[in-house]
Amino acid sequence: THISSPENAEYDFHSTYAYITWDLVNYASSYELRYATTNDVNSATSISVGSSENSYKLENLTQNTIYYFWLRAIDNEFNYYK
């Protein structure tokens, strides 16, 4: 089954946390959220989120720091970054 990228991702930043939301993707078995302080997806920290979840609260962020985020829907055959 071909799946699409998560759409309408929104990031709500606060002093030490970010609240991330997105639209659910049909047939996704899970989501992977990655974040880093550099624009390098390969060295980013990875978090797995369940298929029925469309939000995540990322805590313990450092104030006054730029963060980069990547989000993808995962199934057993295809992966798509948003």
Side-chain angles (χ1 to χ4, degrees):
T1 302
H2 181 78
I3 62 172
S4 61
S5 297
E7 294 185 358
N8 299 314
E10 295 184 10
Y11 307 90
D12 183 15
F13 293 97
H14 297 270
S15 60
T16 58
Y17 69 92
Y19 190 68
I20 300 122
T21 60
W22 60 90
D23 291 346
L24 292 174
V25 174
N26 288 334
Y27 308 109
S29 60
S30 64
Y31 298 92
E32 181 184 31
L33 173 64
R34 289 187 178 216
Y35 71 99
T37 56
T38 61
N39 191 8
D40 180 8
V41 69
N42 295 319
S43 66
T45 301
S46 176
I47 298 167
S48 181
V49 181
S51 63
S52 63
E53 303 296 322
N54 70 329
S55 65
Y56 189 84
K57 184 178 181 183
L58 184 59
E59 299 183 277
N60 299 317
L61 300 178
T62 303
Q63 289 183 340
N64 302 316
T65 301
I66 295 172
Y67 284 90
Y68 298 86
F69 293 90
W70 299 268
L71 176 65
R72 69 177 172 175
I74 297 176
D75 71 9
N76 293 332
E77 297 177 35
F78 299 98
N79 298 310
Y80 291 94
Y81 274 107
K82 175 72 174 177

